[in-house]
Amino acid sequence: MIVAANWKMNPTLDQAGVLATALTTHTFANVTRVLFAPHPYLVPMSVRLSDSGVRIGGQDCHFADDGAYTGDVSATMLRDCGASMVLLGHSERRSAHGETSHLVAQKVRAARAQQLQVMLCVGETKAERDHGQAEQVVIDQLQASIPSDMDAKHLTIAYEPVWAIGTGAVASPDDIATIHALISAVLTEKYGADNLPPILYGGSVNANNAADIFAIPKVDGALVGGASLDAEAFAAICTAANQISP
Ligand code: PGA
């Protein structure tokens, strides 16, 4: 199981230090924890968490490795600042920054060129679900965001229905199971059944619903936003994941 914290544009540096201390006080034999920290916090977090087993990731990277891109951050910079992963294609990047799956694929290539592991987000909006397009949207995003030469072992997928992010409205177990089975089928075609990347669910995961979500077939963990800013809630989610047999 993988439980990833997506801090987004939170918290303060002081609060980040408190959360990092909490992350070091627990260990979970069956859980890989990942922290997607804001870029300015990558160095302090990677120093503080160096012996904790928590993997550090950036929340985005540019498709180019250097150049005149004011405000952007390259995959090389992430790696040099202690990240071993990067989150790409998050819906907040797709919607607020106009990122297309084509651009996301370029970023995936840039990340892989610097040996970063990639967590790729896919998921439909409310309108797309209401129009019966959820499955096709996810298929299209997977096909267009994953470069053809991408190796399965460097990839993790996070299925995050956009309407479930930060809203408290978790997708139903049936809907999660359906989309995870679909993602699994698409990736099986590409990589083979024995070579599937982990598939996480994200969208309003919290301490109360995590165990039920982890019990759904083909759910290999969670990408956690809001609840990752609460040390106790995040530890409870990791505890729930740890109780799932490997
Ligand atoms: P949420 O965010 O847990 O606050 O819904 C998840 C995410 O955006 O990754």
Side-chain angles (χ1 to χ4, degrees):
M1 300 292 279
I2 300 170
V3 180
N6 176 12
W7 282 358
K8 309 191 180 188
M9 202 171 70
N10 303 291
T12 65
L13 188 55
D14 282 351
Q15 291 163 342
V18 174
L19 289 171
T21 302
L23 286 172
T24 60
T25 59
H26 300 95
T27 49
F28 300 93
N30 303 326
V31 179
T32 299
R33 290 175 297 167
V34 183
L35 169 59
F36 292 111
H39 295 157
Y41 299 172
L42 286 174
V43 170
M45 290 305 116
S46 58
V47 169
R48 290 187 78 131
L49 296 171
S50 59
D51 296 325
S52 66
V54 177
R55 303 189 62 165
I56 305 291
Q59 296 177 5
D60 179 45
C61 71
H62 198 272
F63 66 82
D65 208 39
D66 52 35
Y69 300 106
T70 302
D72 280 312
V73 169
S74 71
T76 304
M77 292 169 179
L78 297 183
R79 199 201 51 206
D80 287 351
C81 291
S84 60
M85 290 192 81
V86 61
L87 188 64
L88 292 174
H90 191 281
S91 66
E92 287 153 13
R93 302 288 318 172
R94 290 180 189 264
S95 64
H97 296 265
E99 293 193 7
T100 61
S101 290
H102 175 74
L103 177 63
V104 173
Q106 289 181 289
K107 293 181 174 210
V108 173
R109 272 194 212 95
R112 284 308 305 143
Q114 299 306 324
Q115 286 84 46
L116 295 177
Q117 294 277 331
V118 172
M119 188 175 292
L120 170 71
C121 301
V122 295
E124 80 286 357
T125 63
K126 175 87 171 67
E128 288 161 344
R129 175 157 286 273
D130 290 347
H131 287 94
Q133 297 164 344
E135 302 192 6
Q136 194 56 50
V137 166
V138 168
I139 292 171
D140 291 348
Q141 287 178 342
L142 287 171
Q143 285 174 343
S145 306
I146 304 175
S148 53
D149 57 353
M150 175 81 191
D151 199 323
K153 66 174 184 285
H154 303 302
L155 181 65
T156 299
I157 304 293
Y159 167 55
E160 297 205 306
V162 177
W163 47 272
I165 295 175
T167 59
V170 186
S172 73
D174 278 356
D175 288 342
I176 297 174
T178 302
I179 300 287
H180 277 241
L182 174 79
I183 294 171
S184 172
V186 171
L187 296 177
T188 298
E189 209 165 290
K190 188 171 167 66
Y191 294 121
D194 296 337
N195 219 4
L196 279 182
I199 306 168
L200 315 188
Y201 169 78
S204 297
V205 176
N206 61 39
N208 298 324
N209 60 25
D212 290 342
I213 292 169
F214 295 146
I216 299 169
K218 301 195 193 297
V219 172
D220 302 313
L223 177 57
V224 184
S228 72
L229 299 169
D230 175 331
E232 271 180 39
F234 191 70
I237 294 166
C238 293
T239 302
N242 203 45
Q243 283 160 359
I244 304 286
S245 313

